Amino acid sequence: MAEKKSGTLIVIGGGEDKEGRKTILKEVARRVGNGRLLVSPVASHEPEGYFPPYEEAFKELGVEDVHELDIRTREDAGDPDKLALFDGATGLLFTGGDQLRITSQLGSTPFWERLKALYDNGGVIAGTSAGASAMCETMLVQGTGRESHRIGDISLAPGLGLIKDAIIDQHFAERGRMGRLLGTLAPNPRVLGIGIDEDTAIVVEDDRQFRVIGNGAVYIVDATSISHSNVAEERRGRALSIFGVQLHVLSQGDEFDMENRRPSPGKA
């Protein structure tokens, strides 16, 4: 039996350009090639209207076989007609909304098995906004942005598990989410924090390293060397203190080795 080849993840901070240079969608299209691209608005409570802009953008980029995979219930995630759309697919894109809808509707369903097979056999899985957060083993669900983190003001949940030992936040600089990412890492400094700006993405190869593409920045927060935090001592609602955090800021072309936690510069 041939060894399975792990695919590629394109993790987008939201707000990706669909009308101009389409840098991020162009990367998705390149990796989809001549195969079928599925676009799933499962994260949205009101999915109508999500698909047409993507269909138009990808067809302009040369992807002729673009299909909406509309999953609204767990029953839909086992519908043979919907699952048949995976035949010939080389990529899938999750749109934005609520990441809990992605995991709650798809976990342990035939859809999930087809998605994992697509990835394990070299396909591309992309996710924007909520679709980005859901990529991780543990996903950030809720927390206040644009202010210093208050202890207890974070909600986490199991994610899709395609990225290990990291937590991803999106719309990062635009919504002032540094405080909540720090608050997520304080209880478990082993996990890497990744904040992705809008119209920006990381292209993850083999779950070990990634390259930045797009117009904004990617913030890497490494808390493994912290010397102190008050997250376990102070009561809920107090401001977080945390010492010794390491921060890297990457832009287009830069790369990051997640296994060894080392950034390297690259050409835009």
Side-chain angles (χ1 to χ4, degrees):
M1 183 176 177
E3 183 179 352
K4 290 183 178 180
K5 177 186 175 184
S6 180
T8 302
L9 303 175
I10 299 181
V11 189
I12 310 164
E16 66 279 1
D17 173 25
K18 302 181 188 69
E19 298 177 354
R21 298 180 65 181
K22 306 184 189 69
T23 299
I24 295 168
L25 298 188
K26 189 179 294 182
E27 181 70 11
V28 176
R30 183 179 74 82
R31 291 178 180 272
V32 168
N34 294 323
R36 171 176 293 170
L37 174 64
L38 305 177
V39 178
S40 178
V42 60
S44 177
H45 294 276
E46 297 179 356
E48 295 83 1
Y50 272 77
F51 177 65
Y54 284 105
E55 181 182 32
E56 181 178 353
F58 280 115
K59 287 194 172 181
E60 288 175 356
L61 292 169
V63 182
E64 293 298 327
D65 196 0
V66 187
H67 286 265
E68 181 177 22
L69 188 44
D70 187 3
I71 303 293
R72 306 196 185 195
T73 66
R74 287 182 62 82
E75 184 177 1
D76 286 345
D79 184 329
D81 291 336
K82 293 181 183 293
L83 295 175
L85 291 173
F86 276 97
D87 297 339
T90 54
L92 182 143
L93 168 69
F94 286 113
T95 65
D98 179 353
Q99 49 265 48
L100 279 175
R101 278 195 52 79
I102 298 176
T103 54
S104 65
Q105 302 307 314
L106 302 184
S108 296
T109 64
F111 181 109
W112 165 248
E113 296 302 324
R114 294 298 301 266
L115 176 73
K116 191 66 167 59
L118 171 61
Y119 177 64
D120 287 341
N121 288 285
V124 56
I125 309 299
T128 182
S129 190
S133 291
M135 295 281 193
C136 298
E137 198 167 28
T138 300
M139 63 183 183
L140 177 53
V141 175
Q142 188 174 1
T144 303
R146 295 195 177 93
E147 62 183 48
S148 298
H149 176 68
R150 300 285 169 174
I151 294 171
D153 185 31
I154 289 290
S155 296
L156 302 173
L160 294 176
L162 298 174
I163 298 176
K164 312 294 185 185
D165 300 325
I167 288 180
I168 288 174
D169 206 354
Q170 13 79 14
H171 302 282
F172 197 70
E174 291 80 6
R175 299 186 185 179
R177 288 179 163 174
M178 178 62 78
R180 78 177 195 172
L181 187 57
L182 290 169
T184 303
L185 301 179
N188 190 355
R190 176 186 63 83
V191 178
L192 189 70
I194 304 174
I196 307 176
D197 285 352
E198 294 179 1
D199 195 26
T200 310
I202 60 173
V203 181
V204 185
E205 305 280 2
D206 300 322
D207 198 23
R208 291 192 296 271
Q209 61 183 15
F210 65 74
R211 175 173 55 90
V212 178
I213 60 174
N215 193 46
V218 172
Y219 296 76
I220 310 297
V221 182
D222 186 350
T224 53
S225 62
I226 66 170
S227 58
H228 163 80
S229 79
N230 66 346
V231 69
E233 282 74 35
E234 292 288 0
R235 67 181 183 272
R236 183 182 179 91
R238 288 292 298 272
L240 174 72
S241 67
I242 184 168
F243 303 166
V245 173
Q246 188 174 28
L247 174 67
H248 307 289
V249 184
L250 283 63
S251 63
Q252 179 157 286
D254 293 337
E255 298 182 349
F256 193 82
D257 179 341
M258 290 191 288
E259 189 171 11
N260 298 298
R261 300 201 171 190
R262 285 201 301 261
S264 57
K267 294 181 180 179

